[in-house]
């Protein structure tokens, strides 16, 4: 059974930084791509970026330069480093893995091909 758990969310002032973590079980990040998404109240789910099994990353254009995705395969963890945060970055952030289509009873971002999702972690920037 695949399970993802995000952590590290919280409240931060504009211009600050946060690092979100995603811990995986039942899956290894050297065997499945993973991605970070976010959803702000009233908005559709938005892709933040992805990291492939080879470590290559891609970012939504507006976020490149402020956000960095990495993984620690030995720890089965992935990270989203966020800097120079802005109020518009306020959202629930999700990690997801395995491009096999939704495998959960509820996938937060149904337009995504990722199959497994964490429960999300709130980031509030004021």
């Amino acid at each position: 059974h695949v399970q993802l758990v995000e952590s590290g969310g919280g409240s931060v002032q504009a211009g600050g930084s946060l690092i979100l973590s995603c811990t995986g079980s039942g899956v290894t990040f050297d065997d499945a791509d993973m991605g970070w998404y976010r959803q702000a109240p009233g908005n559709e789910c938005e892709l933040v970026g992805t990291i492939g099994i080879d470590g290559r990353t891609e970012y939504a254009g507006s976020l490149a330069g402020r956000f960095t995705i990495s993984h620690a395969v030995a720890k089965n963890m992935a990270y989203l480093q966020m800097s120079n945060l802005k109020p518009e970055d306020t959202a629930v952030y999700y990690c997801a893995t395995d491009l096999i289509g939704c495998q959960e009873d509820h996938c937060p971002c149904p337009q995504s091909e990722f199959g497994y999702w964490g429960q999300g972690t709130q980031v509030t920037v004021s």
Side-chain angles (χ1 to χ4, degrees):
H1 175 67
V2 176
Q3 186 174 19
L4 301 177
V5 178
E6 302 96 339
S7 60
S11 297
V12 63
Q13 292 189 339
S17 300
L18 276 177
I19 300 176
L20 305 184
S21 300
C22 175
T23 303
S25 60
V27 63
T28 56
F29 293 142
D30 61 350
D31 195 39
D33 295 342
M34 70 89 56
W36 285 95
Y37 285 77
R38 68 183 184 181
Q39 187 165 26
N43 288 4
E44 291 190 356
C45 209
E46 175 187 19
L47 174 66
V48 173
T50 61
I51 184 166
I53 58 177
D54 58 0
R56 286 190 298 176
T57 54
E58 294 185 3
Y59 300 94
S62 62
L63 301 177
R66 295 195 299 123
F67 287 19
T68 302
I69 296 172
S70 60
H71 59 198
V73 172
K75 298 180 179 179
N76 223 31
M77 294 186 69
Y79 306 96
L80 175 63
Q81 295 177 264
M82 305 182 292
S83 62
N84 191 22
L85 283 162
K86 305 175 182 181
E88 53 264 40
D89 295 318
T90 295
V92 177
Y93 285 73
Y94 299 94
C95 63
T97 193
D98 217 352
L99 291 165
I100 56 171
C102 181
Q103 303 293 307
E104 309 278 9
D105 290 337
H106 169 70
C107 289
C109 305
Q111 76 276 20
S112 169
E113 286 298 311
F114 283 108
Y116 302 102
W117 296 78
Q119 82 287 354
T121 187
Q122 176 71 46
V123 172
T124 302
V125 185
S126 60

